[in-house]
């Protein structure tokens, strides 16, 4: 998360998440979404089975999209995808 300057991260594991993994993720703290006055875990750990079972991740969609659009503007050397 630090090297990518990300405010949040999702770690996907092939195997079940252990209590130690949950504890480490909890240490990352919470991300505050001021727009909707909500909080989200900065680091979420899920296993593939969680995804297949339909577990919903806690992410602030509005701010994530806004951040991704901003980062995209920095990549001036990237070519445009044409359909």
């Amino acid at each position: 998360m630090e090297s990518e300057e990300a405010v949040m991260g999702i770690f996907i594991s092939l195997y079940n998440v252990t209590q130690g993994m949950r504890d480490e993720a909890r240490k990352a703290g919470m991300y505050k979404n001021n727009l909707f006055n909500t909080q989200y875990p900065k680091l979420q750990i899920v296993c593939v089975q969680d995804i297949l079972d339909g577990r919903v991740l806690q992410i602030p969609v509005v701010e994530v999209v806004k951040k991704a659009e901003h980062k995209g503007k920095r990549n001036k050397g990237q070519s445009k995808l044409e359909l």
Side-chain angles (χ1 to χ4, degrees):
M1 289 171 37
E2 288 178 17
S3 65
E4 295 296 321
E5 299 177 17
V7 295
M8 295 178 70
I10 299 170
F11 181 83
I12 301 172
S13 173
L14 184 58
Y15 303 102
N16 289 333
V17 180
T18 66
Q19 186 60 46
M21 294 166 75
R22 286 188 188 95
D23 293 342
E24 287 299 315
R26 199 171 297 114
K27 288 179 186 177
M30 300 295 283
Y31 170 74
K32 294 179 183 178
N33 180 334
N34 295 324
L35 185 61
F36 296 108
N37 197 27
T38 54
Q39 293 187 35
Y40 302 91
K42 283 188 177 180
L43 178 60
Q44 296 178 64
I45 303 177
V46 296
C47 69
V48 172
Q49 190 61 52
D50 291 333
I51 295 168
L52 295 174
D53 290 343
R55 177 179 170 196
V56 177
L57 296 170
Q58 301 174 37
I59 56 173
V61 177
V62 173
E63 289 188 22
V64 170
V65 170
K66 192 181 296 185
K67 181 76 171 178
E69 288 174 352
H70 174 72
K71 280 194 166 248
K73 292 178 183 176
R74 292 191 321 180
N75 298 330
K76 294 179 181 175
Q78 185 175 355
S79 62
K80 184 178 180 182
L81 176 65
E82 296 185 29
L83 302 175

